């Protein structure tokens, strides 16, 4: 089993009981998980691969996966910003797949 597959299984077991599922697009999921592993090597923590990290754990605390924006994103849109985590309904196409706007405050995005 590859490192990405191990991470997939670990996170799936932790997050599904909470109502958060991986996107049904497994190729996308594995690309994002690869990004998380790259960021863990780069920064020492798994920050969102869809956002620019500051290489400062405290400054990046809000984007350490699962980020603090996942809960409101999935509640409102059925998907988080990068579409790694989704609701069951989103995966089953019972709700529309729409663009999820960035919730992270602009001042946190500047280095």
């Amino acid at each position: 089993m590859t490192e990405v597959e191990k991470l997939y299984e670990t996170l799936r077991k932790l997050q599904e009981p909470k109502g958060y599922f991986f996107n049904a697009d497994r190729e996308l999921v594995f690309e994002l998980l690869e990004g998380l592993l790259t960021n863990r090597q780069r920064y020492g923590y798994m920050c969102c691969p869809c956002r620019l990290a500051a290489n400062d754990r405290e400054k990046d605390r809000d984007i350490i996966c699962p980020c603090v924006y996942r809960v409101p994103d999935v509640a409102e849109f059925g998907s988080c910003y990068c579409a790694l985590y989704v609701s069951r309904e989103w995966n089953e196409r019972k709700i529309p797949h729409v663009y999820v706007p960035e919730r992270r405050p602009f001042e946190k995005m500047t280095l």
Side-chain angles (χ1 to χ4, degrees):
M1 194 181 294
T2 68
E3 196 172 357
V4 171
E5 291 169 328
K6 288 178 190 173
L7 181 59
Y8 177 90
E9 283 305 315
T10 299
L11 294 177
R12 185 186 63 74
K13 289 175 186 173
L14 289 171
Q15 299 304 323
E16 283 187 2
K18 298 175 185 178
Y20 299 101
F21 300 86
F22 281 129
N23 188 320
D25 181 345
R26 201 164 167 115
E27 185 177 333
L28 172 70
V29 169
F30 276 56
E31 286 176 19
L32 292 168
L33 293 178
E34 192 78 49
L36 287 173
L37 292 170
T38 297
N39 283 344
R40 183 171 68 188
Q41 287 178 321
R42 187 178 290 150
Y43 306 119
Y45 49 92
M46 291 193 305
C47 56
C48 179
C50 299
R51 294 180 166 109
L52 186 59
N55 196 16
D56 179 320
R57 188 180 195 95
E58 192 55 40
K59 287 181 181 176
D60 292 336
R61 184 168 300 287
D62 63 320
I63 60 169
I64 294 175
C65 191
C67 73
V68 300
Y69 310 107
R70 178 186 72 170
V71 172
D73 284 351
V74 173
E76 186 173 348
F77 301 103
S79 165
C80 70
Y81 178 69
C82 64
L84 176 62
Y85 288 108
V86 300
S87 67
R88 183 185 310 274
E89 296 78 17
W90 193 93
N91 262 345
E92 293 173 352
R93 297 200 159 276
K94 292 180 179 175
I95 59 174
H97 292 188
V98 298
Y99 171 76
V100 178
E102 174 63 271
R103 291 181 191 266
R104 193 172 198 216
F106 179 76
E107 53 278 358
K108 288 193 170 219
M109 291 188 266
T110 56
L111 301 178

